[in-house]
Amino acid sequence: VQLVESGGGSVQAGGSLRLSCAAPGLTFAAYSIGWFRQVPGKAREGVSCFSSRDDSTYYSDFVKGRFTITSDNARITVHLQMDNLNVEDTGVYYCGARYNLGTSTCLAGEYDYWGQGTQITVSS
């Protein structure tokens, strides 16, 4: 499964960005898709995840109320709308995918496929 990310970049605090993740030739109907953030010296952590099995969503505490994860009806692309960004949101954001088995999860270690990562920089 090849994941292709788009979006990202630099923005001032309080601004917005939108990330998108797609897998060419594949629908996400049988997968959970998540966005994960990694900063230097720290492990990759789950930001927001979406399970196509039951349309459930997960948000980490530090993004609740600011980020929104959605999937198009065809289950081809998953978006992460990031609003009211702050400096602490800075990092490399990765799209991850896992086949829907067992309980839905947003733990990075449970995801099998990864995009190349995209840098998000929020300045004060």
Side-chain angles (χ1 to χ4, degrees):
V1 176
Q2 179 187 8
L3 300 177
V4 179
E5 301 152 347
S6 59
S10 299
V11 67
Q12 288 192 322
S16 298
L17 288 171
R18 178 178 167 98
L19 299 177
S20 297
C21 178
L26 182 72
T27 67
F28 292 140
Y31 293 84
S32 289
I33 305 298
W35 286 98
F36 301 80
R37 184 185 71 176
Q38 191 162 23
V39 297
K42 292 191 175 181
R44 195 170 296 183
E45 59 181 344
V47 174
S48 181
C49 295
F50 170 84
S51 173
S52 60
R53 179 172 57 189
D54 55 8
D55 284 358
S56 62
T57 57
Y58 163 87
Y59 296 96
S60 64
D61 287 342
F62 62 85
V63 305
K64 279 181 183 176
R66 300 188 297 122
F67 291 11
T68 305
I69 191 168
T70 57
S71 175
D72 62 357
N73 290 336
R75 296 288 192 263
I76 294 175
T77 307
V78 172
H79 307 284
L80 183 68
Q81 178 67 38
M82 304 183 291
D83 297 320
N84 195 19
L85 286 158
N86 56 56
V87 174
E88 290 72 28
D89 294 319
T90 295
V92 179
Y93 283 69
Y94 294 89
C95 174
R98 67 185 293 267
Y99 194 73
N100 279 329
L101 285 176
T103 305
S104 296
T105 177
C106 204
L107 292 174
E110 299 294 325
Y111 280 68
D112 303 307
Y113 308 101
W114 296 97
Q116 76 279 8
T118 184
Q119 176 71 43
I120 300 289
T121 302
V122 184
S123 58
S124 59

